[in-house]
Amino acid sequence: DIIKVFHISLLYFSIGNNNGAIYHGKTIIHEIDSNEKLSVHIKNLETGRIFDATDIMPEYFFISIPLFNDKLEREIDDWLHVMKYDEVPQTFHSPYMTQVAEKLSILKMTSEERANYSYYRKKLHNDRDELAAAEAKGEARGREEERQKAEQKLLKEKQAIANKLIQKGVSIQEVSELTGLSVDQIKSLR
């Protein structure tokens, strides 16, 4: 897929006739003599499809932060407010403003506060990692204990069966073959 390019220039000075804060332009390429607009088509070599690429030419946005009129009507206005005032507006349209507010609060910290905050975040992650490791270790220990209990239960069942077979007069060798117990284990049951 071809990705369209947008160039956004944030300007901290006035532009144009001071009527608006946002200006937009497109790249239009035309032939010098005939003034005919260039039509660009691109062929996908894998699929053979041909795309009209005229509309993928870069577009430009020039945003004059000082000319922002402080009206919060669209999502872009939220961003302009943040850039102009270094704060998130009280009411906003953008779903990202909560995250922006968090990042701004960190950026506004003193060096010492930011170092403490960074230490706190690292400690939080380390503690969470240690907890996850301890939980995994506990789960592994629990599985091992369950495995050992199951082995003990199976051994007792085999020993009970071996005892019954011996009482019926079955040879120790046959009992060993039938139960999987060693001859020594069977002899120790007597």
Side-chain angles (χ1 to χ4, degrees):
D1 288 331
I2 298 171
I3 299 172
K4 186 173 185 85
V5 174
F6 291 93
H7 176 91
I8 301 172
S9 294
L10 302 176
L11 309 173
Y12 285 87
F13 53 86
S14 298
I15 59 172
N17 55 13
N18 293 340
N19 285 337
I22 303 174
Y23 288 83
H24 173 256
K26 291 185 175 187
T27 303
I28 300 171
I29 301 173
H30 58 86
E31 201 276 327
I32 297 284
D33 293 331
S34 68
N35 207 25
E36 179 182 334
K37 183 178 175 185
L38 176 65
S39 180
V40 180
H41 293 80
I42 299 174
K43 182 178 182 177
N44 183 321
L45 297 176
E46 291 179 15
T47 64
R49 284 185 56 202
I50 297 175
F51 298 93
D52 180 8
T54 306
D55 287 334
I56 66 154
M57 295 300 205
E59 292 187 34
Y60 301 89
F61 289 88
F62 295 96
I63 303 173
S64 174
I65 303 301
L67 293 178
F68 171 56
N69 62 11
D70 297 338
K71 291 182 183 175
L72 300 172
E73 298 169 348
R74 305 167 294 181
E75 186 174 345
I76 186 74
D77 298 332
D78 298 342
W79 291 99
L80 292 173
H81 181 91
V82 169
M83 287 182 272
K84 186 173 182 178
Y85 298 108
D86 289 333
E87 66 180 24
V88 172
Q90 293 293 323
T91 57
F92 48 83
H93 305 88
S94 174
Y96 303 104
M97 285 297 124
T98 303
Q99 291 171 309
V100 171
E102 290 172 14
K103 296 293 182 191
L104 277 175
S105 69
I106 295 167
L107 290 172
K108 290 181 178 182
M109 291 178 181
T110 65
S111 296
E112 183 180 343
E113 290 170 331
R114 206 175 359 246
N116 288 338
Y117 177 75
S118 180
Y119 173 78
Y120 162 76
R121 296 287 296 176
K122 285 178 185 174
K123 179 127 176 63
L124 183 67
H125 287 289
N126 288 345
D127 290 351
R128 190 173 19 196
D129 290 346
E130 287 177 13
L131 178 61
E135 286 175 346
K137 187 176 179 181
E139 288 172 2
R141 186 178 295 142
R143 286 191 295 272
E144 177 61 24
E145 288 174 3
E146 286 298 316
R147 187 190 63 73
Q148 287 176 358
K149 285 180 186 178
E151 284 178 2
Q152 287 294 337
K153 182 178 177 184
L154 181 61
L155 178 62
K156 286 182 182 180
E157 289 172 358
K158 285 180 178 183
Q159 289 171 339
I161 292 169
N163 274 329
K164 287 179 184 176
L165 290 171
I166 289 171
Q167 288 173 1
K168 291 194 177 211
V170 178
S171 74
I172 291 178
Q173 188 61 37
E174 284 181 283
V175 172
S176 175
E177 290 172 13
L178 292 171
T179 62
L181 294 172
S182 70
V183 173
D184 290 337
Q185 286 176 311
I186 295 168
K187 286 180 180 177
S188 70
L189 295 175
R190 291 181 167 184

